Amino acid sequence: MEKISSSSTASETENEFQNFIKLQYLMNRTATTCLREMFKQEWTFRTRFIWQNSRSDAISFITGPGEKVYRQSQSVQKDLIDSGNLDLWDIPILVQAIKIFDSSMTKLTTKMRNHGLDLIKEQRNKLAHHGNTNFSSEQFKEIWKQVTETLLLFGVPANVLNEARNNPLIIGTKENVTKGSTNPNIIRARELKEIGNKLFKDEKYSQAIEKYTEAIKFPGLPFEDLAALYSNRSISFLRVEDFEYAKNDAKGAILVHPTWSKGYFRLGSAYESLGKFLQALKNYELALELDPQNYELKDCRDHCKYIVNKRARDEHLDPLALHTSVVSTVEKMRGRGFESSPHHLLNNQRLNKMMGLAPGICGEGHRYVTGDGRPRDYEQAARCYAEAAAKGSAEGLYNLALLTREGKGVRRDYQEGMRLLREAAAQSHITEMHGNKFSNLGVAEAEHSLGLAYAEGVGVPQCFTTAIDWYERAIKHGSGSSCNNLALMYGQGDGVRRDISKAIAIWKIGCYYKTPRAMENLALEYLSMCNIENGWKWHDYAIAEGGSITMGLRKSEFVNILGPNPYPPIDKDKLWEELRDEVSHGPLKHLVCTDEPILTLLFGGNLIKIPKEAEEMVKAVGGDTYKSFLVVSHRRGFIVTAQVQKSGLKKEDWNVTAGKIAQKGITDLFGLKPIFIKEMIVTEDHVFEGFVIKLTIIEDAILGRPSIPLIVEDEKKDVQRVYIYNYPQEKNIQSTLGFGCKISIVNPYFRIANDQLAAIRVDDPTTIFFHSDLTDKTRCRFCGKGNSSVMCRKCKRCMYCSKKCLLDDAKFWQHDFICKKRI
């Protein structure tokens, strides 16, 4: 097939655009002028009055023969009718107004005239709802022929129609206004407009609306002035979140000036604010055809296209796209062979953040995005991702790109989001830190997003070849989502030759990566091929292994069509082993990821990689990084409290959040069940009634705050924070609630504190039982062994079992914070 040159294509597009402009001129100048004169003629013939374009004319029309027309009009059209200015009435209003009367034209019967009016209105609607500004020669000729023949019948001279064809309407990206007018109405309206503009700039939107409204009411305004007033009032309504009025005013701007880009821009903005992204997209595209270099318009277009496509992909039904809590995430990870818990995941996130490492900073950002344990806050999330991105984190760059493209927490800028994606994708998919290799999170995700952008033509020219390149890169780096999308391209023949066998092979790689969408589409493909056994097999695997929401919802539909599943239950582990062998030796084995760090992340292993500089500390504390975090934070609390007291604030001045649940005290421990810290992991405040937890206090109590903060250890050596309220803070408190003391707490209240970390809260001191006979002040401050004999020479208070523990305490746990003779 002969290719069309780019210059030929551009010329053809230009001619089609000129066709649009000529039709706009024909409709909005020639036809409307004819219909206005026709209405005036009918009005004078029936009422014996001349229409003066006045408000009194409008009242006579609305309360008289035009009552039904007015009642059935849209709000914008009602405003135009109210003005009494026929120059502002569009074709639908004029047609309905003229049809009220019988024809007074000697050569035309009422039936013939009304048929012509309906034809003009029909062709006007074709023009208004065409969806773009390109009309082919055939489309142009069809509309032009029907409208001009009707106008000739209505008495429009042929030379006027020729003028319409040869003198296209001025189009503009800016307000085209008639300068130097002496009309007092125009002068005053423009003055009010300038006042409104200043009020808008000062963010006094309601007052600006009043000024624009006052200006709009003046009769005899040029269409350019009126369109600008409607446009300005529309964006003012947007600012006060009155989206329906904003939409109506945008339509008003389009009615009076249909070739001005700003009207379509405003209508797109109103639809976007109403959550109607498809309608918004259509109007942004129309505006761009009239103003193709407008960067802001391009950004709005790209954003809406992104959202429309995102919704079309049903991402709300994709388990991988759902917001999850730390707890639910870890439960999924356990199913993939990870030995971790929500407790330890939080611990390592906090450790990474405490050490200023990007994974921990991104983890904080994720919690702000999902609202996991804290209020959802995109601005805080963006700060976290930006901080991680500044450290070169691909994960930070990728997540910041997502927020930037959607304008969440940052100013929306789709092209900046694309730049961040490219920067993330340019990194190596394997990263190394102090000798440890692991998957560079964010790289494959960015590659997938770029593939999707090129496949859909969002923010970049649509290019299937480039999309395939990005998808294949992402697949090699473990992206199951790219497997699904690339398989869909081959399965549907989008930009490539349709190849079902290749699509199935790629979907299977996605299934190997445990991607729910790949499992779902593979099942549907087999069922469409009438391969019932494989269809049911992958249907069940999608539910069992992928947590497929779609397959779960459609199971009854499958049963209704195919009948009950006649095949035995699948062995998902065996099926996955067979799948691994098939994809590893299949025709597309070159696409299958073989990098150990990525496979570890996909299929199991150590969930969190601890950097080498932390390994020595982790080894010294027996792997309990959470304990290190709590101890260091607690000891730092002595310094913070001292600084607060020095500033003159008292404990009563601290910001305190009251407990959500009340504890119940009892008189003895008989009949209570023991509970341990690991058994108290819940996602919200909870009182464990009927239980008792026995604890050893392993750090000094901090005084001078509304509560008494402690660090405690249970009988299984797990640690947690305790905050005791309403207890007298006496000088000898360290002998009962200090280091080495043992207590039991009845009906322990597990609480998520203000810093979003877990703690045990005590509001009623009667729930505490003291075991003074078991107090051990000689236990080692670092490892916890009893009968320690090595004393800190400086504070002469802290004991250690060995010199090594003394040095480790100073090195890893900031002993200098508590190195005082008296706490």
Side-chain angles (χ1 to χ4, degrees):
M1 183 181 291
E2 186 179 351
K3 293 183 179 179
I4 301 173
S5 68
S6 58
S7 59
S8 173
T9 304
S11 175
E12 195 172 291
T13 301
E14 184 178 346
N15 289 335
E16 290 180 346
F17 180 68
Q18 288 299 323
N19 289 340
F20 168 77
I21 297 299
K22 290 174 183 179
L23 289 174
Q24 287 287 359
Y25 190 98
L26 178 68
M27 287 294 186
N28 293 287
R29 290 291 180 274
T30 311
T32 51
T33 300
C34 170
L35 296 183
R36 285 165 191 152
E37 291 303 316
M38 189 181 295
F39 173 79
K40 287 180 181 179
Q41 179 181 325
E42 299 293 359
W43 178 261
T44 302
F45 185 80
R46 299 301 172 189
T47 67
R48 306 304 178 191
F49 291 103
I50 297 174
W51 189 278
Q52 300 287 342
N53 277 359
S54 67
R55 172 67 177 148
S56 60
D57 289 330
I59 294 172
S60 299
F61 178 78
I62 294 167
T63 58
E67 184 272 334
K68 186 177 180 181
V69 172
Y70 183 79
R71 180 163 39 85
Q72 294 178 345
S73 295
Q74 298 178 4
S75 58
V76 173
Q77 291 175 318
K78 286 180 178 178
D79 286 344
L80 299 178
I81 295 172
D82 276 329
S83 72
N85 185 359
L86 287 185
D87 293 337
L88 304 180
W89 290 19
D90 65 345
I91 287 176
I93 297 175
L94 288 166
V95 167
Q96 295 306 115
I98 295 169
K99 287 172 71 175
I100 295 170
F101 309 107
D102 291 332
S103 175
S104 64
M105 302 173 72
T106 55
K107 295 182 180 180
L108 284 178
T109 65
T110 300
K111 184 176 180 180
M112 291 173 62
R113 183 204 66 186
N114 288 353
H115 175 73
L117 291 171
D118 289 339
L119 189 146
I120 288 177
K121 183 179 176 182
E122 178 188 347
Q123 298 305 321
R124 175 265 175 198
N125 289 340
K126 281 185 181 179
L127 181 62
H129 302 124
H130 184 63
N132 59 55
T133 57
N134 294 328
F135 278 79
S136 67
S137 297
E138 292 74 18
Q139 292 171 318
F140 172 76
K141 287 175 183 176
E142 178 191 351
I143 296 176
W144 188 271
K145 182 174 183 294
Q146 294 194 40
V147 174
T148 53
E149 286 179 354
T150 303
L151 292 176
L152 285 169
L153 193 64
F154 287 170
V156 177
N159 66 310
V160 173
L161 297 176
N162 290 332
E163 182 183 346
R165 189 161 190 161
N166 297 323
N167 294 282
L169 180 68
I170 296 173
I171 65 169
T173 61
K174 297 181 180 179
E175 301 159 19
N176 300 310
V177 296
T178 306
K179 304 293 184 182
S181 174
T182 58
N183 185 317
N185 287 345
I186 297 175
I187 293 171
R188 181 56 183 155
R190 290 176 180 173
E191 289 173 352
L192 289 168
K193 177 190 165 192
E194 290 306 315
I195 295 170
N197 291 350
K198 186 177 186 307
L199 289 168
F200 180 90
K201 188 176 181 180
D202 293 340
E203 299 183 2
K204 298 176 180 178
Y205 304 120
S206 296
Q207 295 177 45
I209 289 169
E210 292 176 3
K211 295 302 176 184
Y212 295 140
T213 302
E214 190 178 345
I216 286 170
K217 290 180 180 178
F218 281 100
L221 298 182
F223 71 91
E224 298 96 335
D225 288 66
L226 195 61
L229 287 166
Y230 275 122
S231 171
N232 290 2
R233 193 170 70 171
S234 175
I235 193 172
S236 299
F237 277 127
L238 276 180
R239 292 292 188 269
V240 296
E241 298 186 359
D242 201 333
F243 303 133
E244 284 294 336
Y245 277 107
K247 180 184 74 174
N248 291 337
D249 272 359
K251 287 182 176 180
I254 294 170
L255 282 175
V256 297
H257 196 350
T259 55
W260 188 37
S261 64
K262 191 68 72 66
Y264 300 100
F265 190 178
R266 295 286 182 250
L267 187 55
S269 300
Y271 275 127
E272 184 179 342
S273 298
L274 288 164
K276 297 179 179 180
F277 292 97
L278 187 58
Q279 293 96 319
L281 176 60
K282 289 178 180 177
N283 281 282
Y284 286 143
E285 288 178 337
L286 275 170
L288 268 172
E289 291 189 33
L290 294 166
D291 187 7
Q293 302 305 317
N294 190 311
Y295 183 87
E296 187 180 2
L297 264 175
K298 289 179 182 178
D299 184 70
C300 291
R301 186 270 316 271
D302 291 342
H303 171 68
C304 281
K305 198 170 184 180
Y306 170 76
I307 297 295
V308 167
N309 291 335
K310 184 177 179 180
R311 289 183 173 182
R313 294 192 294 271
D314 288 335
E315 288 194 4
H316 62 291
L317 296 177
D318 185 354
L320 293 183
L322 297 179
H323 293 315
T324 55
S325 67
V326 171
V327 175
S328 60
T329 299
V330 173
E331 290 305 317
K332 290 179 184 176
M333 292 300 185
R334 280 175 174 166
R336 296 187 180 183
F338 290 99
E339 294 183 1
S340 192
S341 67
H343 183 71
H344 288 108
L345 179 57
L346 279 170
N347 300 350
N348 285 302
Q349 269 191 7
R350 290 292 174 175
L351 176 67
N352 280 336
K353 188 170 188 300
M354 183 175 71
M355 298 177 68
L357 300 177
I361 299 168
C362 286
E364 287 292 291
H366 301 333
R367 289 165 69 83
Y368 279 117
V369 168
T370 61
D372 181 17
R374 65 190 58 197
R376 184 172 289 180
D377 188 333
Y378 290 112
E379 191 172 339
Q380 287 290 349
R383 287 196 184 102
C384 291
Y385 295 143
E387 183 181 348
K391 295 176 181 290
S393 165
E395 185 181 8
L397 288 164
Y398 168 71
N399 284 285
L400 184 58
L402 297 188
L403 295 185
T404 302
R405 292 201 299 179
E406 294 196 34
K408 292 180 175 179
V410 293
R411 184 179 65 83
R412 191 179 74 197
D413 187 332
Y414 201 88
Q415 289 304 315
E416 173 63 12
M418 294 295 290
R419 186 194 68 78
L420 291 167
L421 287 177
R422 291 189 181 94
E423 190 174 340
Q427 294 193 19
S428 170
H429 62 288
I430 301 295
T431 188
E432 184 172 341
M433 186 183 294
H434 302 285
N436 292 318
K437 289 185 178 180
F438 53 96
S439 174
N440 195 1
L441 294 176
V443 174
E445 291 83 354
E447 291 168 339
H448 170 75
S449 292
L450 289 167
L452 190 59
Y454 278 102
E456 296 179 339
V458 181
V460 291
Q462 188 175 47
C463 179
F464 293 113
T465 302
T466 306
I468 291 171
D469 289 343
W470 281 114
Y471 280 149
E472 288 187 348
R473 278 182 59 172
I475 291 170
K476 292 175 183 177
H477 301 153
S479 174
S481 297
S482 284
C483 291
N484 182 59
N485 287 15
L486 185 58
L488 284 171
M489 288 179 68
Y490 280 103
Q492 298 168 358
D494 288 341
V496 292
R497 184 176 59 83
R498 191 166 183 260
D499 189 335
I500 297 298
S501 297
K502 191 168 187 177
I504 289 174
I506 297 171
W507 269 319
K508 285 187 175 181
I509 298 174
C511 295
Y512 168 61
Y513 290 162
K514 302 192 176 182
T515 307
R517 277 292 160 85
M519 302 172 193
E520 294 166 6
N521 285 315
L522 184 58
L524 292 170
E525 186 60 45
Y526 275 127
L527 288 172
S528 71
M529 297 166 64
C530 297
N531 189 333
I532 308 302
E533 182 177 1
N534 272 322
W536 273 116
K537 179 173 72 174
W538 291 105
H539 169 278
D540 292 349
Y541 188 71
I543 295 174
E545 183 63 29
S548 170
I549 300 171
T550 303
M551 291 291 102
L553 293 173
R554 297 185 65 177
K555 187 163 188 176
S556 59
E557 179 186 337
F558 277 51
V559 172
N560 290 336
I561 297 173
L562 304 173
N565 186 350
Y567 304 102
I570 61 168
D571 182 338
K572 65 177 185 178
D573 294 329
K574 181 181 178 183
L575 180 57
W576 186 80
E577 292 291 339
E578 293 172 352
L579 181 64
R580 182 181 61 183
D581 292 339
E582 181 179 350
V583 301
S584 299
H585 299 94
L588 300 180
K589 62 183 180 181
H590 63 284
L591 291 179
V592 180
C593 177
T594 57
D595 294 296
E596 190 63 33
I598 295 177
L599 297 178
T600 297
L601 185 67
L602 286 172
F603 307 130
N606 292 325
L607 186 60
I608 302 293
K609 300 283 186 179
I610 303 297
K612 198 165 185 179
E613 62 241 275
E615 288 180 355
E616 190 179 354
M617 180 187 75
V618 172
K619 185 177 180 181
V621 299
D624 195 345
T625 57
Y626 187 53
K627 180 177 181 180
S628 299
F629 171 72
L630 289 186
V631 169
V632 174
S633 299
H634 183 82
R635 292 181 178 182
R636 188 177 287 115
F638 284 100
I639 307 300
V640 173
T641 303
Q643 290 172 343
V644 170
Q645 290 174 333
K646 190 175 181 180
S647 69
L649 290 176
K650 301 177 181 179
K651 64 180 181 180
E652 293 80 10
D653 300 321
W654 289 65
N655 183 24
V656 179
T657 303
K660 298 178 181 179
I661 309 174
Q663 287 177 284
K664 295 178 182 178
I666 59 174
T667 56
D668 60 57
L669 303 177
F670 181 75
L672 296 174
K673 299 176 184 177
I675 192 170
F676 302 97
I677 288 172
K678 275 190 176 178
E679 296 172 334
M680 296 172 67
I681 297 296
V682 291
T683 57
E684 57 185 17
D685 287 20
H686 184 77
V687 171
F688 292 86
E689 289 193 17
F691 289 88
V692 60
I693 186 166
K694 192 172 182 181
L695 303 166
T696 300
I697 301 171
I698 63 171
E699 285 295 315
D700 300 303
I702 301 178
L703 304 182
R705 295 186 176 192
S707 66
I708 303 173
L710 306 173
I711 303 296
V712 299
E713 181 180 86
D714 68 8
E715 293 177 301
K716 293 189 175 182
K717 304 300 181 184
D718 288 309
V719 296
Q720 193 51 276
R721 306 182 298 175
V722 172
Y723 293 95
I724 301 175
Y725 289 84
N726 306 312
Y727 192 89
Q729 298 190 18
E730 300 169 348
K731 289 185 178 181
N732 63 345
I733 199 171
Q734 301 294 349
S735 62
T736 54
L737 285 175
F739 176 82
C741 296
K742 294 183 183 292
I743 59 173
S744 292
I745 300 177
V746 174
N747 298 332
Y749 176 8
F750 180 91
R751 176 167 171 72
I752 303 298
N754 289 336
D755 62 2
Q756 306 306 314
L757 282 176
I760 298 171
R761 177 176 176 129
V762 177
D763 287 307
D764 182 359
T766 64
T767 60
I768 303 175
F769 286 78
F770 299 92
H771 308 291
S772 56
D773 56 321
L774 300 177
T775 298
D776 182 9
K777 296 287 186 180
T778 66
R779 64 176 272 146
C780 178
R781 287 270 176 166
F782 190 74
C783 72
K785 291 181 181 178
N787 299 318
S788 299
S789 57
V790 179
M791 179 184 290
C792 172
R793 293 182 180 180
K794 187 175 180 180
C795 67
K796 300 187 184 302
R797 191 174 59 82
C798 298
M799 305 296 294
Y800 300 91
C801 67
S802 65
K803 189 174 181 180
K804 182 179 183 304
C805 278
L806 184 149
L807 295 174
D808 284 345
D809 191 48
K811 182 177 181 180
F812 300 122
W813 285 3
Q814 305 294 316
H815 171 73
D816 56 312
F817 288 161
I818 60 167
C819 190
K820 298 171 184 175
K821 292 183 178 180
R822 190 169 183 177
I823 290 290

